[in-house]
Amino acid sequence: MRILFIHNYYQQRGGEDIIFEQEVAMLREAGSIVETVEFTNDGFDGSLLGTVTGAALSLYSSQSARRVEQAIDRFKPDVVHIHNLFYTATPSVIQAVKRRNIPVVMTLHNYRLVCASGMLMREGEVPCERCLTKTIPLDGIRFGCFRDSRLQSTQLTAITSLHKLTGVWRVVDRFIVLTEFARAKMLQSSLQLRPDQVVVKPNAVPDLGYADPAQREDYFLYIGRLSPEKGIQTLLAAFGATSQRLKILGDGPLKADVEKAVQQHPAIQFLGHQPRAAVVEQLKKCRALVVPSIWYEGLPTVILEAFATGTPIIYADQANLRSIVGNYGTSFAPGDATRLGHVINDVSSAKLSENASQAIRRLYETQYTSTEIAHKQLLIYREVIPAKMANEYAV
């Protein structure tokens, strides 16, 4: 199968860039012929003039459309897969692809099309669904949800609103989301998508190797950004009221709060940002991973890595995390430090179960390996390419 990927890199490298690169490599390894068209946002400087100019260029870029048309004419793909369009690529590339009668698949890594913050949250309101069902969501501008800037939020809201009104999103053959929860939210949203347009396909993670419960040590682990929506205050309060050991890996705006907790509670250890190998080592040794997030989350890579290593998970019982972890972990009410403390003590006093750890590992093996995810992705492509061509690629 010939697949053309389109991706717009942000100015600061992030998770979407990593997933795009991983998928390209994964599908090449699976035997597909893959080419890419890549854009950058280097020309957007954040100034007033730059923002105004960028707003106009972000609505429609004939130059970006031409680049994609030239790539299609040269490469002749069976399907085009888009990861990000903001801001240089623009939805003009979707129209360019459809002019060539090529199917379009697009991954939604976040809620950017219906929420200026992209995460269905804002400061003081976590989660937040004020804009989810509004065609022109003015609250995103009112609260400056994008980069704490009303001007930039106005630019983004104008772009997404106008593209909703033009109906460009409804010509995309398939939107890929990461969880069933995200699918439900997108179908509920102002995009007015058809149920058959939105499918669930998670990301893959490398096989980190199963960790024998007998080799685990008696401490709990948090890995991630140190920020309010991640439930850091709940985490610190819960462990501050117990004698259980906690190791924290990461960095962020609440770093000072974490350092203060370390001074007050010797059982809490702060390791800061660590290289990937060190993170994996800690994950394989801990008694359980704690995920106390109060926002919806997407599909946290650290949870998938816990599945890969057979690591028990303690998580905040909100809808999206429940759809990911479910009965493979132990839950507590989001923001409830007292309940989290009880769960920590219960898990610490219980014997580590080989059967439970192996069940977690099997979840990884059946749903999140590169082989399994590549297979699911190719099936999605086969659903949208013409029937005659789909038969050629049947497995």
Side-chain angles (χ1 to χ4, degrees):
M1 186 178 295
R2 301 176 71 83
I3 308 160
L4 180 66
F5 274 88
I6 298 174
H7 181 59
N8 198 137
Y9 283 88
Y10 291 111
Q11 289 175 325
Q12 294 183 342
R13 182 172 173 81
E16 294 180 34
D17 304 325
I18 295 171
I19 296 303
F20 158 69
E21 292 163 2
Q22 287 178 343
E23 284 195 2
V24 168
M26 176 183 73
L27 291 171
R28 283 174 174 161
E29 186 175 346
S32 296
I33 303 170
V34 180
E35 280 202 11
T36 67
V37 178
E38 300 170 14
F39 299 88
T40 69
N41 289 333
D42 294 342
F44 292 82
D45 60 9
S47 65
L48 176 59
L49 177 61
T51 299
V52 173
T53 303
L57 294 175
S58 300
L59 291 173
Y60 186 94
S61 171
S62 56
Q63 182 178 356
S64 297
R66 281 196 300 273
R67 277 192 62 193
V68 170
E69 287 175 334
Q70 290 167 358
I72 290 173
D73 293 342
R74 181 182 66 255
F75 180 56
K76 303 189 184 318
D78 301 315
V79 64
V80 172
H81 188 153
I82 299 168
H83 271 268
N84 180 42
L85 294 174
F86 294 105
Y87 291 92
T88 304
T90 82
S92 64
V93 306
I94 296 175
Q95 297 165 330
V97 176
K98 299 309 284 187
R99 283 196 292 269
R100 295 297 196 270
N101 295 315
I102 306 293
V104 176
V105 174
M106 182 171 176
T107 296
L108 298 178
H109 294 273
N110 51 43
Y111 300 97
R112 183 75 69 204
L113 299 186
V114 293
C115 169
S117 79
M119 301 189 292
L120 294 182
M121 57 166 277
R122 68 177 185 83
E123 186 175 356
E125 193 168 350
V126 184
C128 173
E129 296 188 11
R130 288 172 180 259
C131 298
L132 180 65
T133 59
K134 295 180 174 63
T135 302
I136 304 176
L138 298 179
D139 279 333
I141 299 172
R142 174 189 172 196
F143 295 111
C145 291
F146 182 60
R147 296 180 179 173
D148 294 321
S149 166
R150 287 186 177 180
L151 180 61
Q152 293 189 49
S153 297
T154 300
Q155 172 191 350
L156 180 60
T157 301
I159 293 167
T160 56
S161 298
L162 285 171
H163 287 136
K164 279 185 250 181
L165 292 171
T166 65
V168 68
W169 306 125
R170 292 197 291 277
V171 305
V172 173
D173 295 275
R174 290 292 187 277
F175 284 102
I176 293 176
V177 294
L178 304 181
T179 67
E180 290 290 348
F181 174 84
R183 180 176 186 271
K185 289 299 174 188
M186 298 313 298
L187 290 177
Q188 178 189 346
S189 77
S190 57
L191 297 178
Q192 299 181 340
L193 302 176
R194 304 183 311 275
D196 65 285
Q197 271 184 284
V198 189
V199 297
V200 177
K201 193 279 305 176
N203 300 324
V205 294
D207 188 348
L208 304 177
Y210 175 71
D212 188 335
Q215 304 300 316
R216 292 188 177 274
E217 300 175 13
D218 192 21
Y219 69 87
F220 295 84
L221 185 65
Y222 172 84
I223 302 171
R225 181 169 165 78
L226 309 180
S227 53
E229 73 276 5
K230 290 291 190 177
I232 297 300
Q233 300 291 8
T234 303
L235 181 77
L236 297 177
F239 277 90
T242 75
S243 59
Q244 304 299 333
R245 294 172 59 207
L246 169 68
K247 293 185 180 182
I248 298 175
L249 280 67
D251 201 354
L254 295 185
K255 179 179 178 180
D257 293 38
V258 173
E259 291 174 334
K260 181 178 179 181
V262 169
Q263 294 175 352
Q264 297 174 340
H265 307 287
I268 299 178
Q269 184 178 1
F270 178 46
L271 302 179
H273 179 75
Q274 294 288 316
R276 197 77 217 131
V279 173
V280 173
E281 181 182 4
Q282 294 292 337
L283 191 59
K284 288 185 172 184
K285 289 182 178 179
C286 71
R287 174 172 278 273
L289 174 73
V290 185
V291 185
S293 297
I294 59 174
W295 78 290
Y296 286 143
E297 288 281 2
L299 182 61
T301 298
V302 68
I303 289 181
L304 305 188
E305 291 174 335
F307 291 160
T309 54
T311 302
I313 300 171
I314 298 171
Y315 69 97
D317 189 16
Q318 40 96 336
N320 193 40
L321 289 181
R322 190 186 320 125
S323 76
I324 300 167
V325 183
N327 294 329
Y328 291 90
T330 306
S331 65
F332 66 96
D336 190 338
T338 301
R339 180 56 191 156
L340 175 55
H342 292 323
V343 170
I344 292 164
N345 286 328
D346 290 344
V347 170
S348 181
S349 61
K351 182 179 179 181
L352 286 170
S353 168
E354 177 75 23
N355 289 339
S357 290
Q358 289 182 347
I360 294 169
R361 167 68 185 187
R362 282 195 295 274
L363 180 63
Y364 164 74
E365 293 173 340
T366 57
Q367 295 191 30
Y368 300 108
T369 65
S370 295
T371 300
E372 180 64 24
I373 296 304
H375 179 70
K376 289 180 180 179
Q377 196 152 328
L378 290 170
L379 285 177
I380 293 171
Y381 296 154
R382 292 184 192 111
E383 288 177 356
V384 299
I385 62 178
K388 180 180 178 181
M389 192 179 298
N391 291 332
E392 295 178 10
Y393 297 121
V395 291

